Amino acid sequence: MTLILNDIAWHRAVGQMIEALDRPNFWTQLVRLLNQYVTFDSWVVLLFSNGQHPEVFAECPGEDGGPDPLFQDYLRGLYLLDPFYIASREQQRTGLYRLTEVAPEHFELTEYYQRYFRLNVVADEIQFNCQLDGDRTLCLSLGSTTPFSGEQIALLSLIQPWVLALLRQRLPHEAQETVTPPATAGQGDWRTQLEASVQQLKGAQLTARELDVGRLMLSGCSSKEIARKLEISIETVKVHKKHMYSKLGIKSQSELFSIFLQAQKA
């Protein structure tokens, strides 16, 4: 279906969404409306904040109607490797973003991609980001089993102002409608939590910089990208990687990912 600026049906639908802002089925109505114009296979509404696990406002139902085990792994800690989460923390901006814009150079080679993303999202993802006060970002993510086309992206860009305005106006009504309450990451930041878990699992004491390098490696960043993000040399990145592998007694990123996953479940 093609959308043009004077599409009467679209404007009528937006009016209906405004009327539904305080209703429990708001998110379902919104994704059904978007699905009339752009085809996608999964969706989720999240609130990203520093120092907390993502807060789930709404999500598409699983095949059996129950919670998705893979998504539960995401909420426990895999979100730290999510390109969209990382991008929202590094550059807190409002707008429409697609996977190719935020994914690091080696994303498709990561264990995160192989063991989570391609199984849960499959092929492509786009995300409406609405930056709120402080460090919070309200996100509507749409996943697809096939890559989104240029025409679909252009259409979503066209309706982006309406969608973002609806997200912002919906937020005050979320207090009593949240699917899962926000889970704090415990005392300190994610480094403190992960370091404690790694020490418990492996008896290893990793430095904050080694933890940074490890997480960026697992998210798909090349040594060059890690060096740029951390403002250190590529040689220093390699030294941190060597020390980290030695302390953990491992030889591959696959082993590092397994430790990371165990740490989130510990």
Side-chain angles (χ1 to χ4, degrees):
M1 181 184 296
T2 300
L3 176 68
I4 57 177
L5 287 176
N6 62 350
D7 190 322
I8 297 176
W10 167 258
H11 289 288
R12 181 184 297 115
V14 170
Q16 292 172 343
M17 291 308 309
I18 294 173
E19 291 288 337
L21 279 169
D22 61 346
R23 298 173 186 169
N25 67 340
F26 169 82
W27 295 114
T28 302
Q29 278 191 245
L30 179 57
V31 295
R32 284 176 179 171
L33 172 60
L34 296 177
N35 207 207
Q36 292 179 28
Y37 295 93
V38 175
T39 301
F40 50 88
D41 302 287
S42 61
W43 60 273
V44 64
V45 183
L46 297 166
L47 183 68
F48 290 150
S49 304
N50 289 342
Q52 293 186 333
H53 293 289
E55 184 176 353
V56 183
F57 284 171
E59 61 179 305
C60 61
E63 293 183 359
D64 60 356
D68 182 349
L70 282 175
F71 189 56
Q72 297 309 305
D73 285 342
Y74 175 88
L75 294 176
R76 277 192 290 265
L78 284 183
Y79 69 90
L80 292 169
L81 306 180
D82 178 7
F84 287 100
Y85 173 80
I86 295 172
S88 75
R89 300 302 84 200
E90 291 181 345
Q91 296 184 349
Q92 297 177 5
R93 299 178 297 178
T94 293
L96 175 68
Y97 300 94
R98 64 179 309 182
L99 182 63
T100 54
E101 295 175 330
V102 299
E105 185 177 352
H106 297 157
F107 177 63
E108 293 185 357
L109 301 178
T110 63
E111 291 293 313
Y112 173 80
Y113 178 86
Q114 296 296 330
R115 293 165 63 173
Y116 174 77
F117 187 90
R118 74 181 183 88
L119 299 177
N120 201 54
V121 181
V122 181
D124 203 358
E125 185 176 4
I126 54 178
Q127 186 164 283
F128 291 95
N129 278 7
C130 183
Q131 188 59 38
L132 307 171
D133 58 292
D135 61 9
R136 300 185 305 160
T137 307
L138 179 57
C139 313
L140 169 59
S141 290
L142 308 177
S144 175
T145 56
T146 58
F148 289 102
S149 67
E151 181 180 356
Q152 288 177 313
I153 298 301
L155 177 55
L156 289 171
S157 298
L158 179 64
I159 64 177
Q160 173 189 177
W162 282 286
V163 176
L164 292 174
L166 287 169
L167 263 61
R168 191 178 298 277
Q169 294 301 315
R170 168 63 183 183
L171 187 63
H173 303 286
E174 282 300 326
Q176 298 179 353
E177 301 295 343
T178 305
V179 173
T180 56
T184 59
Q187 295 181 347
D189 58 14
W190 68 269
R191 289 196 198 96
T192 304
Q193 184 188 32
L194 182 56
E195 183 181 19
S197 298
V198 168
Q199 187 171 9
Q200 181 180 0
L201 291 169
K202 288 288 184 175
Q205 184 74 38
L206 300 182
T207 67
R209 188 61 89 192
E210 288 166 350
L211 288 167
D212 284 335
V213 169
R215 182 178 62 86
L216 290 171
M217 284 173 51
L218 291 176
S219 69
C221 291
S222 64
S223 294
K224 183 178 180 180
E225 286 178 306
I226 295 174
R228 177 180 56 81
K229 286 176 179 288
L230 300 182
E231 299 182 336
I232 58 179
S233 70
I234 294 179
E235 290 304 315
T236 301
V237 171
K238 293 179 180 178
V239 170
H240 285 311
K241 175 182 175 182
K242 180 180 179 180
H243 288 170
M244 178 174 54
Y245 276 25
S246 176
K247 290 179 180 180
L248 295 175
I250 60 175
K251 297 181 179 179
S252 68
Q253 283 196 42
S254 178
E255 292 177 281
L256 180 61
F257 181 83
S258 295
I259 293 173
F260 179 88
L261 196 56
Q262 282 180 280
Q264 304 314 310
K265 296 180 178 181

